Amino acid sequence: MPTIRVPIVERVLNANDQLAQKNRDLLKRWPIFSINLMASPGAGKTSLILQTIAHLSIHLKIGVIEGDTARVTIDADKVRQAGIPAVQVHTAGGCHLDAALIADALPQLPLESLQLLIIENVGNLVCPASFKLGTDADILIASVPEGDDKPFKYPAIYRGLQALILNKTDLLPYVPFAMDNFRKGVEMLNPGLAFFPLSCSTGEGMDQWMEWLTDHALNKEDVGANNHSLLP
Amino acid sequence: MPTIRVPIVERVLNANDQLAQKNRDLLKRWPIFSINLMASPGAGKTSLILQTIAHLSIHLKIGVIEGDTARVTIDADKVRQAGIPAVQVHTAGGCHLDAALIADALPQLPLESLQLLIIENVGNLVCPASFKLGTDADILIASVPEGDDKPFKYPAIYRGLQALILNKTDLLPYVPFAMDNFRKGVEMLNPGLAFFPLSCSTGEGMDQWMEWLTDHALNKEDVGANNHSLLP
């Protein structure tokens, strides 16, 4: 079966990269700093977005795109309740967002007035790594209860990141998690990667993340995304 | 893009279902009771397998197939160290096991002497739901830190289950988790589903899971898998 499927996958990925480049060009016009938040289900993507909005929406004009496999609006509703424009994208069972879904969602946001666009991908550590969306930064939220071996088991997603968050540090006293082993895996795959251990529950470590995000949104600094060029 | 991709996906799924039926027929010959363990990354699949082996390997002959996206043998090594035959399957970046990968792995196990086959799928709540492997039971391990909204956000995987485990109940005092909401979501999608809240760390709730598994492995009881027929 792999011999049949690989060429199809390559065609889909090439088409996706071309659309991702269009999204990137569109977002550069204003410019809007954009991030693609990826994670396992339940690692805290929506919690981080809500905390980020609560801290930064007085300084920055923020917009959100929420990806889900099911026809639900749980996350987008939470964001809208915080007074932030949000679009819910349904993948109809698909396990990742792709550039075409983002291209459809972008015109539904007030792009002309945004400085920061946060995209919440589907909870999945595999396929989102292959489908670039055209954002400035691909960011992963790992979480302490998932365990310290995840960089070794899902290396592809760690390789493509511009920043890494480790959420739920408040649970470190209650679960086995060898920080040294986790950091070793990350450094092997993506040396010098920006790293933010934090807890959305207690607020510990949030300041460093907010500072990094604000700096990039206000200055639109290069975060190294060009090292991972979308088109050959 | 969806209009192009759907027919391809349907062809792949039909081919997969035919291979899954062959796997099922092969496993029925002895017979071997087989389970497909699915979960988010880090929910505790390998921990549950190791605990299950520790408790049941004196009563049952167990074999394990470990699925991973990366070329690692972390999980299979742990199982083999426990004295249990294990095959590591690499999906080469793919986000789920499929029936073809299992068909290749089965002859590498001493099937003639096994009573229970445990397959650990890739950590993912989306795609594994679509690719039946030919096992008697599809089982999901949810975990407390993932949150109580997961049935609502990943409904497809909950609909196809024959049993549901909720791991890491020892973390209930430390994270927000509304058990009522979780159960409501599960009952809506899969009424009467066998449910095992437990903790692989403390051992709480493990007895009920072991009893269910032993009963089915020794009696090869129908777990309702025929209600989810593989072929139309």
Side-chain angles (χ1 to χ4, degrees):
Chain A
M1 203 136 61
T3 51
I4 303 167
R5 283 154 67 190
V6 166
I8 296 168
V9 170
E10 280 176 0
R11 281 207 304 279
V12 170
L13 287 178
N14 285 342
N16 183 77
D17 279 356
Q18 287 171 23
L19 280 168
Q21 190 63 52
K22 283 191 184 175
N23 291 343
R24 173 170 289 194
D25 293 344
L26 179 66
L27 291 166
K28 268 188 182 162
R29 275 193 219 159
W30 280 279
I32 300 167
F33 184 72
S34 56
I35 64 174
N36 170 24
L37 270 188
M38 303 176 286
S40 298
K45 293 185 296 301
T46 311
S47 298
L48 186 85
I49 290 172
L50 294 174
Q51 289 289 333
T52 302
I53 288 170
H55 283 74
L56 296 188
S57 60
I58 45 165
H59 307 299
L60 291 172
K61 297 281 185 187
I62 305 173
V64 174
I65 296 174
E66 288 285 349
D68 267 301
T69 65
R71 197 157 282 282
V72 291
T73 56
I74 300 171
D75 293 340
D77 290 346
K78 288 180 189 168
V79 173
R80 285 194 203 110
Q81 278 164 20
I84 298 296
V87 178
Q88 182 82 46
V89 173
H90 301 115
T91 65
C95 62
H96 57 273
L97 292 178
D98 62 30
L101 291 167
I102 299 306
D104 288 346
L106 287 175
Q108 300 177 53
L109 286 169
L111 296 179
E112 64 288 353
S113 66
L114 297 185
Q115 294 168 290
L116 172 63
L117 172 66
I118 305 176
I119 301 175
E120 177 174 345
N121 216 311
V122 175
N124 182 348
L125 291 191
V126 188
C127 305
S130 301
F131 288 81
K132 296 290 175 189
L133 307 181
T135 53
D136 292 298
D138 287 320
I139 298 177
L140 177 69
I141 309 179
S143 77
V144 165
E146 291 168 29
D148 53 77
D149 61 350
K150 294 300 161 289
F152 303 94
K153 300 186 77 175
Y154 300 88
I157 202 162
Y158 280 84
R159 281 202 193 95
L161 300 178
Q162 279 75 47
L164 170 65
I165 289 166
L166 177 66
N167 190 20
K168 308 193 189 184
T169 53
D170 55 296
L171 296 179
L172 280 169
Y174 310 113
V175 298
F177 186 93
M179 188 68 82
D180 283 357
N181 193 44
F182 181 75
R183 297 287 297 145
K184 192 179 108 187
V186 173
E187 280 299 309
M188 183 183 73
L189 297 164
N190 197 327
L193 180 62
F195 178 55
F196 303 98
L198 54 81
S199 165
C200 287
S201 299
T202 66
E204 181 195 26
M206 294 296 281
D207 287 351
Q208 288 84 344
W209 160 245
M210 299 296 172
E211 196 178 332
W212 184 90
L213 193 57
T214 309
D215 282 354
H216 285 91
L218 291 179
N219 307 321
K220 196 82 168 40
E221 275 178 25
D222 180 16
V223 288
N226 291 334
N227 298 333
H228 304 268
S229 177
L230 291 169
L231 292 173
Chain B
M1 203 134 65
T3 51
I4 304 168
R5 281 154 70 190
V6 167
I8 296 168
V9 170
E10 281 176 0
R11 282 208 304 278
V12 170
L13 287 178
N14 284 344
N16 184 77
D17 280 355
Q18 287 171 23
L19 280 168
Q21 190 64 50
K22 282 191 184 174
N23 292 344
R24 174 170 287 192
D25 293 344
L26 178 66
L27 292 165
K28 268 188 182 161
R29 275 192 219 159
W30 281 278
I32 299 167
F33 184 72
S34 56
I35 65 173
N36 170 23
L37 270 188
M38 302 175 288
S40 298
K45 294 185 296 300
T46 311
S47 299
L48 186 86
I49 290 172
L50 293 174
Q51 289 289 332
T52 302
I53 288 170
H55 283 74
L56 297 187
S57 61
I58 45 167
H59 307 299
L60 291 172
K61 296 280 187 188
I62 304 174
V64 174
I65 296 174
E66 289 286 348
D68 267 300
T69 66
R71 197 157 283 282
V72 291
T73 56
I74 300 171
D75 294 340
D77 290 346
K78 288 179 188 168
V79 172
R80 285 194 203 111
Q81 278 164 18
I84 298 296
V87 178
Q88 182 81 46
V89 173
H90 302 116
T91 66
C95 62
H96 56 272
L97 292 177
D98 62 30
L101 290 167
I102 299 305
D104 288 345
L106 286 175
Q108 300 177 52
L109 286 169
L111 296 178
E112 65 287 353
S113 66
L114 297 185
Q115 293 167 290
L116 172 63
L117 171 65
I118 305 177
I119 301 175
E120 177 174 344
N121 215 312
V122 175
N124 182 349
L125 291 190
V126 187
C127 305
S130 301
F131 288 82
K132 296 290 175 188
L133 306 181
T135 54
D136 291 299
D138 287 321
I139 299 178
L140 177 69
I141 309 179
S143 77
V144 165
E146 290 169 29
D148 52 78
D149 62 349
K150 293 302 161 288
F152 302 94
K153 301 188 76 173
Y154 300 89
I157 203 162
Y158 281 84
R159 281 201 193 95
L161 299 178
Q162 279 76 48
L164 171 64
I165 289 165
L166 177 65
N167 189 21
K168 310 195 188 182
T169 53
D170 55 297
L171 296 180
L172 280 169
Y174 310 112
V175 297
F177 187 93
M179 188 68 83
D180 284 358
N181 192 45
F182 181 75
R183 297 287 296 144
K184 194 179 107 187
V186 173
E187 280 300 308
M188 184 183 73
L189 297 164
N190 197 327
L193 180 63
F195 178 57
F196 303 98
L198 55 80
S199 165
C200 287
S201 299
T202 67
E204 181 196 26
M206 293 296 282
D207 287 351
Q208 288 84 343
W209 159 245
M210 300 295 174
E211 196 179 330
W212 184 91
L213 193 56
T214 309
D215 283 355
H216 286 91
L218 292 179
N219 306 319
K220 194 80 168 44
E221 276 178 25
D222 180 16
V223 288
N226 290 335
N227 298 333
H228 305 267
S229 176
L230 291 170
L231 294 174

